[in-house]
Amino acid sequence: MHVRCLNNLAAAYLKVERYKESQETCQKVLEKEPENVKALFRYGKVLAIRGDLSEAVKHLQKALELNPDERAIQVELQKAQKKKDRVEKEEREMYRRMVSNPPKSTGRAENPRHSLWKRLIQGPVPYLAVAAVVGIAGIAIAYYWTQT
Protein backbone atom coordinates (compact mmCIF):
# COMPACT_ATOMS: atom_id res chain seq x y z
CA MET A 1 0.00 0.00 0.00
CA HIS A 2 2.86 2.37 0.86
CA VAL A 3 4.51 1.77 -2.53
CA ARG A 4 1.25 2.52 -4.35
CA CYS A 5 0.90 5.83 -2.51
CA LEU A 6 4.49 6.77 -3.32
CA ASN A 7 3.94 5.84 -6.96
CA ASN A 8 0.82 8.02 -7.12
CA LEU A 9 2.69 10.85 -5.39
CA ALA A 10 5.47 10.60 -7.99
CA ALA A 11 2.84 10.79 -10.75
CA ALA A 12 1.28 13.85 -9.13
CA TYR A 13 4.65 15.57 -8.78
CA LEU A 14 5.36 14.80 -12.43
CA LYS A 15 1.99 16.23 -13.46
CA VAL A 16 2.60 19.55 -11.66
CA GLU A 17 6.19 19.72 -12.99
CA ARG A 18 7.94 19.26 -9.65
CA TYR A 19 10.54 17.05 -11.18
CA LYS A 20 13.03 16.86 -8.33
CA GLU A 21 10.36 15.65 -5.90
CA SER A 22 9.04 13.19 -8.48
CA GLN A 23 12.54 11.81 -9.01
CA GLU A 24 13.12 11.39 -5.27
CA THR A 25 9.76 9.67 -4.82
CA CYS A 26 10.46 7.29 -7.71
CA GLN A 27 13.81 6.45 -6.13
CA LYS A 28 12.03 5.52 -2.88
CA VAL A 29 9.66 3.23 -4.78
CA LEU A 30 12.54 1.61 -6.67
CA GLU A 31 14.44 1.02 -3.42
CA LYS A 32 11.50 -1.05 -2.19
CA GLU A 33 10.54 -2.57 -5.56
CA PRO A 34 13.38 -2.40 -8.10
CA GLU A 35 11.21 -3.86 -10.87
CA ASN A 36 8.18 -1.62 -10.45
CA VAL A 37 7.31 -0.78 -14.05
CA LYS A 38 5.40 2.42 -13.28
CA ALA A 39 8.21 3.76 -11.11
CA LEU A 40 10.82 2.85 -13.73
CA PHE A 41 8.74 4.59 -16.41
CA ARG A 42 8.19 7.74 -14.36
CA TYR A 43 11.81 7.80 -13.21
CA GLY A 44 13.01 7.51 -16.81
CA LYS A 45 10.63 10.25 -17.89
CA VAL A 46 11.81 12.60 -15.13
CA LEU A 47 15.45 11.89 -15.89
CA ALA A 48 14.87 12.70 -19.56
CA ILE A 49 13.18 15.97 -18.65
CA ARG A 50 16.03 16.90 -16.30
CA GLY A 51 18.63 16.12 -18.98
CA ASP A 52 20.16 12.84 -17.77
CA LEU A 53 19.39 11.07 -21.02
CA SER A 54 21.68 8.05 -20.64
CA GLU A 55 20.11 7.08 -17.32
CA ALA A 56 16.64 7.84 -18.66
CA VAL A 57 17.12 5.48 -21.60
CA LYS A 58 18.49 2.79 -19.30
CA HIS A 59 15.47 2.94 -16.94
CA LEU A 60 12.96 3.14 -19.76
CA GLN A 61 14.56 0.10 -21.45
CA LYS A 62 14.29 -1.83 -18.19
CA ALA A 63 10.62 -0.84 -17.90
CA LEU A 64 10.04 -1.95 -21.49
CA GLU A 65 11.72 -5.31 -20.82
CA LEU A 66 9.34 -5.87 -17.92
CA ASN A 67 6.28 -4.71 -19.88
CA PRO A 68 7.00 -4.92 -23.63
CA ASP A 69 3.39 -4.23 -24.69
CA GLU A 70 3.07 -0.84 -23.01
CA ARG A 71 2.82 1.79 -25.76
CA ALA A 72 3.54 4.78 -23.46
CA ILE A 73 6.89 3.29 -22.47
CA GLN A 74 7.80 2.66 -26.10
CA VAL A 75 6.93 6.25 -27.07
CA GLU A 76 8.84 7.77 -24.14
CA LEU A 77 11.86 5.56 -24.85
CA GLN A 78 11.89 6.63 -28.50
CA LYS A 79 11.68 10.32 -27.52
CA ALA A 80 14.50 9.97 -24.99
CA GLN A 81 16.67 8.02 -27.43
CA LYS A 82 16.14 10.60 -30.21
CA LYS A 83 16.94 13.44 -27.84
CA LYS A 84 20.06 11.63 -26.61
CA ASP A 85 21.21 10.97 -30.18
CA ARG A 86 20.61 14.62 -31.15
CA VAL A 87 22.55 15.92 -28.13
CA GLU A 88 25.45 13.55 -28.82
CA LYS A 89 25.49 14.59 -32.49
CA GLU A 90 25.56 18.27 -31.53
CA GLU A 91 28.42 17.63 -29.09
CA ARG A 92 30.41 15.72 -31.73
CA GLU A 93 29.84 18.52 -34.23
CA MET A 94 30.95 21.14 -31.71
CA TYR A 95 34.12 19.20 -30.84
CA ARG A 96 34.83 18.61 -34.54
CA ARG A 97 34.59 22.33 -35.23
CA MET A 98 36.83 23.11 -32.27
CA VAL A 99 39.53 20.67 -33.40
CA SER A 100 39.35 21.06 -37.17
CA ASN A 101 39.60 24.85 -37.41
CA PRO A 102 43.00 25.84 -36.07
CA PRO A 103 43.89 29.54 -36.22
CA LYS A 104 45.17 30.54 -39.65
CA SER A 105 48.78 31.64 -39.91
CA THR A 106 50.64 33.31 -42.76
CA GLY A 107 53.38 30.71 -42.71
CA ARG A 108 56.09 33.21 -41.82
CA ALA A 109 57.10 34.66 -38.52
CA GLU A 110 56.23 38.30 -38.12
CA ASN A 111 59.19 40.65 -37.81
CA PRO A 112 59.03 42.21 -34.32
CA ARG A 113 60.41 45.51 -35.64
CA HIS A 114 57.72 45.60 -38.29
CA SER A 115 54.98 45.07 -35.72
CA LEU A 116 56.52 47.79 -33.49
CA TRP A 117 56.45 50.31 -36.34
CA LYS A 118 52.94 49.23 -37.21
CA ARG A 119 51.78 49.85 -33.64
CA LEU A 120 53.58 53.21 -33.47
CA ILE A 121 52.16 54.45 -36.77
CA GLN A 122 48.65 53.42 -35.79
CA GLY A 123 49.03 54.77 -32.26
CA PRO A 124 49.82 58.23 -30.84
CA VAL A 125 53.13 58.81 -32.68
CA PRO A 126 51.67 60.66 -35.71
CA TYR A 127 49.84 63.08 -33.42
CA LEU A 128 52.98 63.68 -31.36
CA ALA A 129 55.03 64.27 -34.51
CA VAL A 130 52.55 66.84 -35.81
CA ALA A 131 52.49 68.56 -32.43
CA ALA A 132 56.31 68.69 -32.38
CA VAL A 133 56.47 70.18 -35.89
CA VAL A 134 53.88 72.84 -35.00
CA GLY A 135 55.77 73.66 -31.81
CA ILE A 136 59.13 73.97 -33.57
CA ALA A 137 57.55 76.12 -36.29
CA GLY A 138 56.04 78.36 -33.64
CA ILE A 139 59.39 78.78 -31.93
CA ALA A 140 61.10 79.53 -35.28
CA ILE A 141 58.49 82.16 -36.14
CA ALA A 142 58.73 83.76 -32.72
CA TYR A 143 62.55 83.87 -32.99
CA TYR A 144 62.33 85.37 -36.46
CA TRP A 145 59.93 88.14 -35.29
CA THR A 146 62.09 89.02 -32.32
CA GLN A 147 65.23 89.31 -34.50
CA THR A 148 63.76 91.81 -36.95
Side-chain angles (χ1 to χ4, degrees):
M1 185 66 146
H2 181 59
V3 171
R4 282 172 149 177
C5 290
L6 287 174
N7 230 343
N8 288 337
L9 182 60
Y13 280 141
L14 187 61
K15 189 95 167 157
V16 295
E17 299 178 358
R18 292 178 58 182
Y19 302 123
K20 182 180 178 190
E21 291 89 347
S22 181
Q23 183 177 353
E24 291 169 354
T25 308
C26 287
Q27 285 173 330
K28 289 177 186 175
V29 171
L30 293 172
E31 285 172 6
K32 295 178 190 265
E33 291 182 14
E35 295 192 352
N36 186 308
V37 176
K38 288 182 180 181
L40 286 167
F41 170 69
R42 290 181 183 129
Y43 192 58
K45 192 171 182 173
V46 168
L47 288 172
I49 290 169
R50 296 190 78 195
D52 191 354
L53 298 169
S54 297
E55 284 296 310
V57 168
K58 186 168 45 171
H59 284 83
L60 289 167
Q61 284 174 338
K62 187 171 181 181
L64 192 61
E65 287 173 14
L66 296 171
N67 191 356
D69 298 328
E70 183 62 43
R71 182 77 179 132
I73 298 172
Q74 294 171 358
V75 169
E76 198 63 38
L77 178 59
Q78 286 176 347
K79 286 193 323 189
Q81 189 65 50
K82 282 182 183 178
K83 188 175 179 181
K84 179 183 171 199
D85 293 343
R86 189 186 77 239
V87 168
E88 288 175 350
K89 182 181 177 187
E90 289 170 358
E91 287 176 353
R92 281 192 307 270
E93 182 65 25
M94 180 182 65
Y95 295 139
R96 186 188 61 74
R97 283 193 312 257
M98 287 171 51
V99 173
S100 68
N101 291 333
K104 295 181 180 180
S105 67
T106 60
R108 60 181 173 92
E110 189 171 323
N111 185 347
R113 291 168 76 201
H114 176 71
S115 73
L116 174 65
W117 280 109
K118 191 175 181 181
R119 283 195 311 254
L120 289 175
I121 290 171
Q122 292 175 349
V125 171
Y127 300 109
L128 292 174
V130 170
V133 168
V134 169
I136 291 171
I139 292 171
I141 292 171
Y143 180 75
Y144 175 76
W145 282 97
T146 57
Q147 296 297 324
T148 55

